[in-house]
Amino acid sequence: MLVDVVTSEAQLDRVLGVANALFSALTAKGHRVALGSLHPHMGRMEVNVREVPKKNQYHQPVWAPDRPTVLYIGAMPIGLTFYEMTEDVESVYANGTYFPVRDLTAEQRRRFTGPQHWKTTKELPSGRLCLQAYYPSSSRVKWFKRWQETPVSELLDVPKMVAALEASVPELTEQIETARIQEQGQRRLWEEQQRQWREERERERQQKAHQAAQQELIAAIAAWDQARKVEAYFEDVLRAAEHMEAGERDTLFDRVTQARAMVSGPSALEALLRWKSPSERL
């Protein structure tokens, strides 16, 4: 497991020296610096190593340790990342490699001319360092601070960084509390939306049960009314058959029996017993 340092090999010793000086100064003030846990709520803020970030410009993700480096001021965690910034440098192409124009010798400047040696801008390590401090325990709190070296001030001021980190605790505490209140409000809103959704689903379910029960009952009443008409028809036929000859009457009785069998269905009582009320459908 490694401390959160992103740098070129040329600046590695200097970055580690500055980091060690800061960690020692923090420890001397009673604070603790350690590697963060693997807890899912403990995360590392992404690093944009460009000294001058450009809007809407893609930057290649850089190396990141398995665990963030975390400063604890009391119970307050603050993530720390030391990194070397990059800058755009005019470079010339020669022999499959890009050389910074500023580093060319007089002989190279003379030789690296012509159409086969074109110039372009490359993103290269600047040799200047940056410390990024951030809140590592919640994506809702977007707090961070950066201390950057400049071409005229190449050393990070450790005492000032220690004082600034200590002074950040009240501000960070306020932001965390604000985020907690907002999260509670959003959760209450979500719970209210869920309650309304469940109530609407229940109303729809009851309405569907009522409609289904009503339709089935109306269909049963219609079937009962139709059955009465059919039965009345057969009774009229049987009464008329009383005046027919015995042979014809027997033939007619047989036809009525077959016809009744074809159109017979459950009685009105059976249909009502099978019918389900709205509450029985829920």
Side-chain angles (χ1 to χ4, degrees):
M1 294 183 288
L2 301 173
V3 68
D4 195 353
V5 168
V6 181
T7 182
S8 64
E9 183 177 358
Q11 294 295 320
L12 179 59
D13 288 342
R14 190 166 78 90
V15 175
L16 291 176
V18 175
N20 183 65
L22 178 62
F23 298 162
S24 297
L26 289 166
T27 302
K29 295 292 292 287
H31 309 310
R32 184 167 62 93
V33 180
L35 296 181
S37 67
L38 293 176
H39 194 281
H41 295 299
M42 179 69 73
R44 175 184 185 266
M45 182 177 176
E46 185 180 358
V47 171
N48 183 352
V49 295
R50 286 182 175 273
E51 186 172 26
V52 182
K54 299 179 181 180
K55 291 184 177 180
N56 303 321
Q57 184 175 33
Y58 172 78
H59 65 274
Q60 187 72 23
V62 297
W63 172 88
D66 292 333
R67 301 185 183 186
T69 298
V70 182
L71 160 67
Y72 292 92
I73 301 179
M76 180 64 71
I78 298 177
L80 299 176
T81 301
F82 279 96
Y83 61 93
E84 180 183 1
M85 297 175 290
T86 62
E87 61 181 346
D88 291 333
V89 178
E90 184 182 28
S91 304
V92 61
Y93 178 82
N95 303 323
T97 305
Y98 286 95
F99 296 89
V101 172
R102 66 190 180 189
D103 297 337
L104 296 179
T105 64
E107 174 62 19
Q108 288 175 322
R109 289 176 183 271
R110 185 187 63 79
R111 288 191 296 109
F112 295 165
T113 58
Q116 73 274 25
H117 300 293
W118 61 85
K119 291 182 179 180
T120 186
T121 298
K122 302 294 288 184
E123 183 183 355
L124 299 175
S126 68
R128 294 181 289 277
L129 309 184
C130 178
L131 169 64
Q132 177 171 276
Y134 58 94
Y135 184 62
S137 296
S138 173
S139 60
R140 291 180 175 272
V141 179
K142 303 299 183 182
W143 179 91
F144 67 91
K145 289 183 180 295
R146 294 191 182 100
W147 292 266
Q148 292 178 298
E149 291 183 333
T150 67
V152 297
S153 176
E154 296 185 355
L155 292 177
L156 295 175
D157 192 325
V158 170
K160 286 185 178 180
M161 289 191 295
V162 171
L165 288 167
E166 291 175 329
S168 298
V169 173
E171 174 192 356
L172 185 50
T173 300
E174 182 178 351
Q175 290 192 22
I176 294 171
E177 178 63 16
T178 300
R180 185 188 67 81
I181 294 173
Q182 291 175 346
E183 184 176 6
Q184 286 182 341
Q186 291 173 355
R187 182 163 188 83
R188 284 194 295 268
L189 177 60
W190 178 82
E191 289 175 348
E192 175 62 19
Q193 290 173 339
Q194 291 296 304
R195 184 189 64 79
Q196 294 178 1
W197 176 78
R198 288 192 297 268
E199 288 181 352
E200 181 62 25
R201 287 289 303 272
E202 181 60 24
R203 283 194 295 269
E204 291 177 356
R205 197 166 71 96
Q206 292 180 3
Q207 184 178 13
K208 289 180 180 179
H210 178 80
Q211 291 175 347
Q214 185 181 54
Q215 291 172 358
E216 185 177 325
L217 183 59
I218 291 174
I221 293 173
W224 172 72
D225 185 56
Q226 180 65 22
R228 289 180 58 193
K229 292 179 180 178
V230 171
E231 185 58 28
Y233 166 75
F234 288 138
E235 289 178 356
D236 286 346
V237 169
L238 292 176
R239 282 194 295 270
E242 294 177 358
H243 305 289
M244 299 176 64
E245 297 293 335
E248 292 180 347
R249 187 169 57 248
D250 292 342
T251 300
L252 186 60
F253 284 172
D254 183 59
R255 286 183 175 276
V256 167
T257 299
Q258 295 182 46
R260 273 178 165 164
M262 289 184 61
V263 298
S264 64
S267 66
L269 181 59
E270 291 173 338
L272 186 59
L273 288 173
R274 288 205 304 266
W275 174 77
K276 291 183 179 181
S277 66
S279 61
E280 292 174 316
R281 297 171 186 269
L282 296 175

